[in-house]
Amino acid sequence: HHTVLMADFQTAGRGRLDRTWDAVRGANLLVSILFRVDGRPLHHYTQIVGLAARSALRDVAGVDVEMKWPNDLLARNVKISGILAQAGVGFVVVGIGVNVGWAPDGAVCVRDLAPSSTCMPVDVLSAMLPHIDRLEGLSREELHGEYVSAHDDRSARARRTRCIRGDRHRGRCRRRRSSARAGRVCDLAPHRYR
């Protein structure tokens, strides 16, 4: 199946664009999971881990998180987790950090969102593993459907789109209160947006 390596603390973690990531001892879930490549696209493995973490946080702490493409989980529009993958011949290692008991500036942790929760980093990992197994058993189409559904949940709440004139639409993103975007919308599905 998998090889799982959990660290107690991190002093030189690496994120996208060579950003560093540190975590204090015993506070957060810091784990790398080795997957043997089975022919599915490599990005599916990060989706599997992200979806599993999303479900695990709901299961163990009652915290709802949203997927943010390509590799973050957000709670209340603030980062709670980051995911990074590294591939080799026949394998991919997906690393994830989940802020359980501590968060750096600009991020949030489970304890901030659910102060009465007693969950520990190992509890999140233990809850993630069965979800990983289930998600790995899905077909490409089924996994894609779950990922799109998780992403659409976020998109539906984060955007408001209204018609201005003909084929011109304006949307406003709640996260950027001061910025409005205007442009041409292609392939707008009327049943998915208000």
Side-chain angles (χ1 to χ4, degrees), residues 10 12 26 34 41 47 50 59 61 67 82 86 88 92 103 113 123 125 143-144 157 161-162 171 178-179:
Q10 186 168 320
L34 172 73
Q47 291 175 355
D59 294 348
M67 307 284 298
Q86 181 104 23
V92 62
L113 302 169
D123 300 326
L125 178 60
L143 179 62
H144 180 71
R157 286 191 296 274
T161 305
R162 60 183 163 82
S178 63
S179 67

Side-chain angles (χ1 to χ4, degrees), residues 167-170 181-185:
D167 63 352
R168 309 265 310 160
H169 291 72
R170 177 182 288 170
R181 305 235 187 239
R184 188 173 303 273
V185 175

Side-chain angles (χ1 to χ4, degrees), residues 56 60 118-128:
V60 300
T118 59
C119 86
M120 301 297 291
V122 71
D123 300 326
V124 177
L125 178 60
S126 295
M128 281 177 63

Side-chain angles (χ1 to χ4, degrees), residues 51-95:
L51 288 166
R54 179 179 188 250
S55 295
L57 286 170
R58 188 178 310 124
D59 294 348
V60 300
V63 173
D64 286 322
V65 299
E66 302 168 331
M67 307 284 298
K68 178 185 173 219
W69 187 88
N71 66 343
D72 290 336
L73 296 176
L74 305 180
R76 299 182 186 163
N77 287 326
V78 181
K79 187 172 181 172
I80 193 168
S81 175
I83 305 166
L84 188 66
Q86 181 104 23
V89 177
F91 71 92
V92 62
V93 176
V94 179

Side-chain angles (χ1 to χ4, degrees), residues 43-44 46-48 50-51 54 67-72 135 138 141-153:
H43 70 275
H44 281 193
T46 57
Q47 291 175 355
I48 287 168
L51 288 166
R54 179 179 188 250
M67 307 284 298
K68 178 185 173 219
W69 187 88
N71 66 343
D72 290 336
L135 292 163
L138 298 179
E141 294 77 21
E142 291 167 329
L143 179 62
H144 180 71
E146 288 217 15
Y147 182 76
V148 167
S149 176
H151 193 273
D152 281 352
D153 288 349

Side-chain angles (χ1 to χ4, degrees), residues 179-193:
S179 67
R181 305 235 187 239
R184 188 173 303 273
V185 175
C186 300
D187 196 29
L188 181 67
H191 65 281
R192 295 177 76 185
Y193 300 98

Side-chain angles (χ1 to χ4, degrees), residues 5-10 21 23-24 28-32 96-98 121:
L5 177 65
M6 182 176 159
D8 190 43
F9 67 98
Q10 186 168 320
W21 189 264
V24 298
N28 295 334
L29 175 62
L30 309 164
V31 66
S32 294
I96 184 168
V98 180

